[in-house]
Each structure stands twice: as structure tokens, then as C-alpha cells.
Amino acid sequence: LPLAVLVILFPFCMLWLLPVVKFVRELWRQKRMTAGLPGPPALPLIGNLLNVDRSAEGFTKNMIWRTNSLSSIGHELGCTWILHRCFITPLTGRAVKDIVDSSEEITKGHDYDLLLPWLGRGLLLNTGDAWRARRRLLTPTFHFSQLDSYISAMNRHAKVFVDEILIDRIDSKFDLYPLIKLCSLDIICETAMGKELNAQHNPAQPYVTAVSRLAQLSIETMSKPYLWSRTVRKLIGKEQEFMGYVNTARDFSHSVIEERRTALERGEVEQNKRAFLDLLLM
């Protein structure tokens, strides 16, 4: 009987154990890499996790407070303070420069694996020779002359934001972030995809909702260790919700790609009004 129970329970134990082993291995790898760098005292295994508020607003406030309270130390050490997951690690300015400028250190941490179903292996999440090849291919699209052509779209949506969205909120206290986010999404969709989303006047639009919820669910999963197991996420419905919004976002993206492809083939896109997507398709 005990053997039969062990055989039955073993797969379930492994489902819980493997993410823990993966986490501990990654933690020790980070610890070895940062051993020679100065930083605030931390507990074994969990580091500074207990000192970091994991809500979006609290996370930002905690980061600002920590930066200000340790600024004198930072000035003495010449440090820049950056954040990786829930562990705040001070790196010297030189170390940051070496990492950011490196053409070798391009592999993202395991946290980003959660975003793969949504973003795929594009420029953000790719690595190695595939990343380098696509980066070379995309470099011309980031030329200043091309970016300058997006200014009119930025100005138009910013004018909607100021003259139509904020006008009724003068002299009142309100949360600016959700409104700024919608304005940014309008700008990104037009300049990147050539699509008029009108998110500022239609915040309940399915793609707008999908992007917002995907970002929230991703942060929630990254900041709560018990959600690192996909099995757990499935059991409580988080995985199904996430993939539902992924499908919504994908369907929207695919429909926009086909629209722009057809418009380009028919010569309906003016040269001075090409979106980033048009350049990729060409």
C-alpha cells in the first residue's frame, strides 16, 4: 500500500518540486554573478522579497523610496539601482554599461518565458544568432527620418488626450495612469501597425482589454511564487484566462497584418504614411 501511494503521489510531487529546483538554481546563478557587487543586506533564498510591495503602485513607490534612502550610499559607490524580479541589486554604473552595451548578454531571464505565448520569439524574447540576424534586418526601420514621420500621429492623439479626455477633469483629483496608457496604446497602434484603435474613447475594446489584462496577469504571476507552476495556474483558472486574452490579441494582430499586406499590394499606403509594420512587410 505505501508503495502504491508513493507511485501515485510521485508525479504530483514532481510538478511542485521541479519549479522550486529551477528557482533555486537560478537564484544561486544570480548570487554567484553578483557576489562581488555592493548591495543592501538580503535574506537567504528570498533575498529582499519581503521588503518589496508587489502591487503595481506599491512596487514603484518602494523602488523610489529605496533609491532615495540609499542615494547617499549610491553617490559614494557611484552606483545605479536597478531591479530584477523582486530582488533589488545595486550594480555599478560600469557594470550596467557593460551589460546594456553587450552583444553577447542578450538572453532574457526565465521570467520572460511566461510572455512567450503572447509575444512569441520576436526581437524582445529571441536570443543568439536568430536575434542578431533579425536585429540587423530591423535596424534601418529605426532611422531618425522614419521615426520623425510618426510625430504627427503622436501630436494628434496627444491633442485628443488633452482636449477631450482631460478637459472634464480640470481641478479634480484622478488617476492619470490608465488614461496615459490608453493614449500610448493609440499612438503605438497607429505608428506601429497603421491601425486607428481609438482606445481613448473606447477603453472596453477587446484588444485594449486583452493587452491590459495580459500585462496584469503577467506581473501577478511573476510576483507570486505559487503561480510559477503552470499546473497551479490551470487549476485555479489563471492559465485559461491568460490564453483567452492571448488568442484575442493574436487574432487582432493577424487581422491587422492581413489588412496592411493587402493595402500595400494595392498601393493604398502613401510613402510618407507608412507604419512600422509596413516596413517589416516590405
Side-chain angles (χ1 to χ4, degrees):
L1 181 62
L3 181 60
V5 172
L6 287 175
V7 170
I8 295 173
L9 292 179
F10 181 75
F12 296 98
C13 293
M14 291 302 296
L15 287 173
W16 286 92
L17 185 60
L18 288 177
V20 173
V21 172
K22 185 178 179 181
F23 165 70
V24 172
R25 287 180 61 186
E26 174 65 12
L27 187 63
W28 282 116
R29 185 186 71 84
Q30 293 179 19
K31 186 175 179 61
R32 288 196 305 270
M33 292 177 65
T34 60
L37 299 170
L43 296 172
L45 285 181
I46 64 173
N48 299 103
L49 183 64
L50 300 179
N51 304 118
V52 179
D53 191 317
R54 283 168 285 175
S55 67
E57 182 180 4
F59 190 80
T60 304
K61 287 183 176 180
N62 182 275
M63 185 177 179
I64 294 172
W65 172 84
R66 193 173 283 267
T67 301
N68 291 336
S69 64
L70 296 170
S71 60
S72 59
I73 301 175
H75 285 305
E76 292 174 9
L77 298 175
C79 292
T80 301
W81 297 85
I82 66 172
L83 213 66
H84 177 71
R85 191 182 284 171
C86 297
F87 305 98
I88 295 181
T89 307
L91 297 175
T92 63
R94 176 62 185 170
V96 172
K97 185 177 188 304
D98 287 343
I99 293 171
V100 173
D101 291 349
S102 174
S103 60
E104 299 297 327
E105 298 298 334
I106 56 176
T107 304
K108 301 294 190 296
H110 294 302
D111 296 357
Y112 287 82
D113 291 348
L114 179 70
L115 302 177
L116 275 173
W118 177 19
L119 302 179
R121 291 244 175 237
L123 195 62
L124 177 63
L125 300 183
N126 220 330
T127 188
D129 292 337
W131 179 89
R132 294 183 182 89
R134 293 179 183 182
R135 184 66 182 88
R136 284 194 296 270
L137 183 68
L138 292 173
T139 296
T141 63
F142 290 102
H143 193 276
F144 284 115
S145 61
Q146 180 60 39
L147 299 177
D148 286 344
S149 66
Y150 299 151
I151 291 177
S152 60
M154 295 178 181
N155 287 341
R156 186 169 64 258
H157 291 296
K159 186 172 177 60
V160 170
F161 178 65
V162 173
D163 294 346
E164 300 178 26
I165 304 301
L166 295 186
I167 192 68
D168 296 329
R169 294 175 170 84
I170 294 176
D171 297 327
S172 63
K173 185 177 181 180
F174 62 96
D175 186 358
L176 189 65
Y177 174 70
L179 306 178
I180 286 281
K181 185 168 63 174
L182 293 173
C183 179
S184 300
L185 195 56
D186 272 341
I187 292 172
I188 292 170
C189 281
E190 180 169 349
T191 58
M193 298 189 287
K195 182 74 173 180
E196 285 277 359
L197 193 62
N198 197 25
Q200 295 187 84
H201 289 300
N202 187 18
Q205 198 261 12
Y207 181 71
V208 176
T209 303
V211 169
S212 178
R213 285 297 295 149
L214 284 169
Q216 292 170 358
L217 289 168
S218 299
I219 294 173
E220 182 182 3
T221 301
M222 290 177 183
S223 62
K224 295 180 178 179
Y226 69 88
L227 291 178
W228 295 350
S229 168
R230 189 180 180 191
T231 303
V232 173
R233 296 199 302 271
K234 280 186 175 181
L235 288 174
I236 62 178
K238 292 287 185 181
E239 184 72 6
Q240 293 86 331
E241 182 185 6
F242 184 85
M243 291 307 302
Y245 288 121
V246 165
N247 292 332
T248 298
R250 277 183 176 175
D251 291 344
F252 177 83
S253 299
H254 291 163
S255 67
V256 171
I257 290 171
E258 290 308 312
E259 285 178 15
R260 300 305 292 187
R261 193 195 307 275
T262 302
L264 283 170
E265 291 173 351
R266 294 176 178 174
E268 297 172 354
V269 181
E270 298 178 33
Q271 185 171 353
N272 63 339
K273 293 185 178 179
R274 287 175 179 164
F276 184 72
L277 175 60
D278 299 329
L279 302 177
L280 301 184
L281 291 171
M282 292 167 62

